[in-house]
Amino acid sequence: MSDPFDGTERSLGQLVASATAEMSALVHDEIALAKAELRQDVKRGVLGSIMGIGALVVLLFSLPMLSFALAYAINTWTGGHNGNGGWNLVWCFLLSFAFNVLLAGLLGAIAVAKFKKVKPPEKSIASAKQTAAIMQNAKPHPRPEQRPALEKAAAVARSSV
């Protein structure tokens, strides 16, 4: 970019081209900032999704295996292994199910905590609002009224017909 204080004056075209280039660079920088922030939030969201899917997988695939193993273990611990019968197997299976639900709840709580960390791209929003505020305060240079010239051209066109 040229130095504005080098003693030479720039033409209107050069000023417009410079302003356009700078505005384009600003927009590109804001887009890059938004992409970087969104990329970071997407990574957090993916991690939360993986934890949520993990909770569902644990709940679905471990219930049959863990429920049977835990139910029979509870029955054994309560005396079922020595012929006394121990607790009824129904209660043993219900305790096994309750354990699996608690484990899935813990994984689900971790997933919710990860999702709460996902935030909107605050820096990009603030930068875009600041740019919009600056652009609203910018006023274009007044242009000479072009209406009389257009009316004169129309009158010439009508008179030549």
Side-chain angles (χ1 to χ4, degrees), residues 82-159:
N82 60 10
N84 293 338
W87 287 359
N88 190 341
L89 278 177
V90 172
W91 295 111
C92 296
F93 276 102
L94 284 174
L95 285 174
S96 173
F97 175 73
F99 172 77
N100 288 330
V101 169
L102 287 174
L103 179 62
L106 176 67
L107 290 175
I110 293 171
V112 167
K114 293 294 180 183
F115 279 125
K116 285 185 178 181
K117 288 184 180 179
V118 175
K119 298 178 182 174
E122 295 168 359
K123 292 178 186 175
S124 297
I125 292 170
S127 178
K129 285 181 180 179
Q130 184 180 15
T131 302
I134 290 171
M135 295 304 291
Q136 285 178 347
N137 293 333
K139 295 181 182 177
H141 292 291
R143 295 186 179 180
E145 186 64 39
Q146 294 181 355
R147 176 167 258 156
L150 292 175
E151 290 174 359
K152 189 184 268 185
V156 169
R158 277 183 264 152
S159 65

Side-chain angles (χ1 to χ4, degrees), residues 5-161:
F5 302 109
D6 63 357
T8 62
E9 292 185 28
R10 297 192 300 182
S11 69
L12 179 62
Q14 290 171 334
L15 291 173
V16 170
S18 175
T20 303
E22 289 177 15
M23 188 58 118
S24 176
L26 176 64
V27 169
H28 286 290
D29 289 344
E30 285 185 9
I31 290 172
L33 176 63
K35 283 182 182 179
E37 287 181 344
L38 288 174
R39 199 173 294 124
Q40 184 180 17
D41 285 340
V42 165
K43 286 180 184 178
R44 287 183 188 141
V46 167
L47 184 59
S49 298
I50 289 171
M51 295 300 274
I53 291 169
L56 290 175
V57 167
V58 167
L59 183 63
L60 291 176
F61 290 119
S62 71
L63 279 178
M65 294 181 292
L66 291 177
S67 294
F68 278 98
L70 189 58
Y72 281 107
I74 292 170
N75 183 267
T76 301
W77 291 331
T78 59
H81 65 286
N82 60 10
N84 293 338
W87 287 359
N88 190 341
L89 278 177
V90 172
W91 295 111
C92 296
F93 276 102
L94 284 174
L95 285 174
S96 173
F97 175 73
F99 172 77
N100 288 330
V101 169
L102 287 174
L103 179 62
L106 176 67
L107 290 175
I110 293 171
V112 167
K114 293 294 180 183
F115 279 125
K116 285 185 178 181
K117 288 184 180 179
V118 175
K119 298 178 182 174
E122 295 168 359
K123 292 178 186 175
S124 297
I125 292 170
S127 178
K129 285 181 180 179
Q130 184 180 15
T131 302
I134 290 171
M135 295 304 291
Q136 285 178 347
N137 293 333
K139 295 181 182 177
H141 292 291
R143 295 186 179 180
E145 186 64 39
Q146 294 181 355
R147 176 167 258 156
L150 292 175
E151 290 174 359
K152 189 184 268 185
V156 169
R158 277 183 264 152
S159 65
S160 63
V161 176

